[in-house]
Amino acid sequence: MNKDLGMTQAQFGIASGIFFIGYLIFEIPSNYALAKFGGRVWLARIMISWGVISVAAGFVRNFSDLAIVRTVLGIAEAGSFPGMLYFIALWFPRELRGRVMVVCVLPLAVVFGTPVSTGILQYMDGLFGLAGWRLLFMIEGLPAILVGFALLKYLTSRPADATWLSPAQREWLIGVSLDGGQPASHAGSSMWAVMRNPQVVLFALAYACLMCGLNANFFFAPQIISAFGKLVHAKLSYMEIGLLTSVPSCFAVVISYLWARHSDRTGERVLHVAGAAIGAAIGLVILANAASFVTLLLGLALLGGCVVGGASAVLQLPTRGMADKPAAITFAFVNSVSVLFSSLIPYVMGKMTDVTGSYVAALYLIGGLMVLAAVLVVVGGYFFERRDELPNARLQETA
C-alpha cells in the first residue's frame, strides 16, 4: 500500500494515527448515545458504519484519500471499545470481567485475522485487476456489516430486558453487574466530576501508556518482522510474515488470559497492572536486541500478552463502586485519554524509523512508557487511597 500510494513510513504513521482524531472527538457523545439507545442499537450502528467505510478504504487513490477515509472511520467507530467495556460490565460479575475483556480484545483477533489478511494480500493480489491490499479492505469490511445486522436481531441491551432469563436470574445478574455489589462511591455522574478525580486521571494515564505499547505492537509488528527478515537476509512472503505475526499472538492470548484470571481470582489489580507493564518493557528490550527470530517472537509475545493483561486489570480500577451512568462516562473518559496519547505513537514510531533507519529507538521509547504506566498505577492505587484513609483514621482516634 505504501508503494502504490507513494507513502513514506511517517505518512503511514499519520494515516494510522489520524483515525484517532474523529474517534476522540466523538468518543464521549457516542457513549452517551449508547446509554440512551442501548447496546443493541448503538453497537450495531457502529459495526455497520465501520464495515461500510472499511470497504470504501479499498478505493483510495492517494495519501489524502486514505487520510480522509481513516478520519471518517474514526468517527464511525467512536465509542466501540468503551461501549464494549460498558456492555461487559452490565452482563458479567466483577470477578469474571478481566478474562472476558482479554477474550474481546486484539491478541485473539491477530491470531486469526493476520493469517487471513496476509493470505488475501498474497494469494488474491491482482484478482479483478485489484491490488491485494485493496481487496483486503473490501473483503474484511463485509463481516463487520453482517455482524452489525446480527446484533440488531439477537443482542439484548441490558439484563433487565432479557426475557430469556428467569426473573430470579435477571435480579441476580443486575445485582452483580457494574458495581459488583460494592458500596457506592462518591464519584459524580458528570464528565467534569470524573476529570477532577486525580485517581481516575492517573489510572487513565497508565492505561494510555499501555495502549501506546498495544498500538505499537498492532500497527508495526508485521513491519518489524519484515525488517528483521531483511536484516538477516531472509526474504519473507506476505503469508510468512502473517504466520510469524500470529505466533507471538497465540502466546500473548495465553499470557494475558492467565494474568487476567489470576487478577480476577485474587481481586488484586494494582500490582497486576504494574507487573504486566514491567513485563511489557522487558519484552520491548528483548525485541530491540533480538538476534534471531526466536528472540524477536519472544519479545512480541511478551509485549502483546503483558499490555493486554495489564489493560484488562487497570480497566477495573477507575469504575470501582460506580453505578450505571458514572461508569459509562468514566469508561469514555479513560479511553479518550488513551486515544489522545496513543494515537501519536504510529506517527512517532514511523518518524523515528525514517530518521534512524531502524525500530530500535522507537521500541526503547515505548519501553519507557511501560515503566511510566507501572509508576502511575502504583501511585494512583496506593498513595491516593492511603491519603483518603487518613482523615477517617484521625476521626477514629479522636473518638
Side-chain angles (χ1 to χ4, degrees):
M1 182 179 69
N2 285 3
K3 182 179 179 181
D4 288 351
L5 301 182
M7 296 195 306
T8 64
Q9 282 282 358
Q11 286 178 319
F12 174 80
I14 292 172
S16 300
I18 203 170
F19 158 88
F20 294 103
I21 295 176
Y23 190 99
L24 177 63
I25 294 172
F26 288 89
E27 178 88 320
I28 293 168
S30 182
N31 253 39
Y32 275 108
L34 177 72
K36 180 178 180 179
F37 297 109
R40 186 181 72 87
V41 172
W42 200 248
L43 291 177
R45 193 282 306 163
I46 289 173
M47 292 299 294
I48 293 169
S49 59
W50 185 358
V52 169
I53 298 167
S54 294
V55 172
F59 296 93
V60 297
R61 299 163 299 175
N62 49 47
F63 166 70
S64 298
D65 286 353
L66 182 63
I68 292 170
V69 170
R70 291 283 298 172
T71 302
V72 177
L73 183 66
I75 296 171
E77 192 183 335
S80 59
F81 189 63
M84 183 176 67
L85 297 178
Y86 174 65
F87 193 81
I88 289 172
L90 286 175
W91 282 92
F92 291 91
R94 183 173 295 276
E95 59 269 20
L96 291 177
R97 287 181 206 158
R99 282 165 278 180
V100 174
M101 288 178 183
V102 166
V103 171
C104 292
V105 293
L106 289 175
L108 197 61
V110 175
V111 170
F112 297 104
T114 305
V116 171
S117 299
T118 50
I120 294 172
L121 286 172
Q122 181 164 339
Y123 299 116
M124 299 186 70
D125 186 42
L127 187 65
F128 307 120
L130 296 171
W133 64 266
R134 294 187 184 275
L135 290 168
L136 175 68
F137 284 122
M138 296 174 187
I139 293 171
E140 295 195 350
L142 296 176
I145 299 172
L146 297 176
V147 168
F149 285 108
L151 294 180
L152 284 173
K153 183 174 177 61
Y154 296 109
L155 200 65
T156 304
S157 291
R158 57 183 63 243
D161 302 329
T163 56
W164 41 272
L165 292 175
S166 69
Q169 289 172 331
R170 284 198 297 270
E171 184 178 348
W172 174 82
L173 190 52
I174 292 170
V176 298
S177 65
L178 272 178
D179 62 0
Q182 301 296 321
S185 72
H186 300 293
S189 59
S190 69
M191 177 57 67
W192 178 239
V194 171
M195 292 172 64
R196 285 185 301 162
N197 186 324
Q199 192 178 43
V200 171
V201 171
L202 285 171
F203 291 149
L205 290 172
Y207 177 67
C209 289
L210 288 171
M211 288 301 98
C212 288
L214 190 62
N215 279 354
N217 187 27
F218 181 61
F219 285 114
F220 286 94
Q223 297 194 41
I224 290 173
I225 291 173
S226 177
F228 185 80
K230 293 176 182 177
L231 188 65
V232 297
H233 307 292
K235 187 175 181 180
L236 301 174
S237 67
Y238 287 133
M239 194 63 190
E240 288 170 332
I241 293 172
L243 291 173
L244 285 171
T245 303
S246 68
V247 168
S249 296
C250 291
F251 289 100
V253 169
V254 176
I255 293 169
S256 57
Y257 183 83
L258 293 177
W259 197 254
R261 184 177 70 172
H262 190 269
S263 179
D264 283 343
R265 287 182 172 178
T266 61
E268 200 287 321
R269 305 297 184 185
V270 173
L271 293 181
H272 279 82
V273 179
I278 296 301
I282 294 171
L284 284 156
V285 171
I286 293 173
L287 191 57
N289 294 278
S292 67
F293 276 111
V294 173
T295 52
L296 185 81
L297 299 181
L298 173 63
L300 287 172
L302 199 55
L303 171 62
C306 287
V307 293
V308 173
S312 69
V314 77
L315 286 169
Q316 312 298 316
L317 292 169
T319 58
R320 289 176 300 178
M322 288 188 182
D324 199 328
K325 185 179 177 182
I329 295 171
T330 302
F331 278 135
F333 170 72
V334 170
N335 204 55
S336 294
V337 172
S338 166
V339 168
L340 180 64
F341 288 97
S342 64
S343 62
L344 300 174
I345 289 303
Y347 171 74
V348 172
M349 285 194 67
K351 190 67 176 177
M352 291 179 73
T353 303
D354 281 340
V355 172
T356 64
S358 76
Y359 291 95
V360 172
L363 293 174
Y364 277 116
L365 172 65
I366 305 301
L369 292 176
M370 297 303 99
V371 175
L372 179 59
V375 173
L376 289 170
V377 78
V378 169
V379 172
Y382 290 112
F383 174 76
F384 280 97
E385 289 189 8
R386 177 59 182 161
R387 189 190 66 173
D388 292 339
E389 290 171 2
L390 290 177
N392 295 330
R394 293 194 188 102
L395 286 173
Q396 290 174 2
E397 290 173 2
T398 303

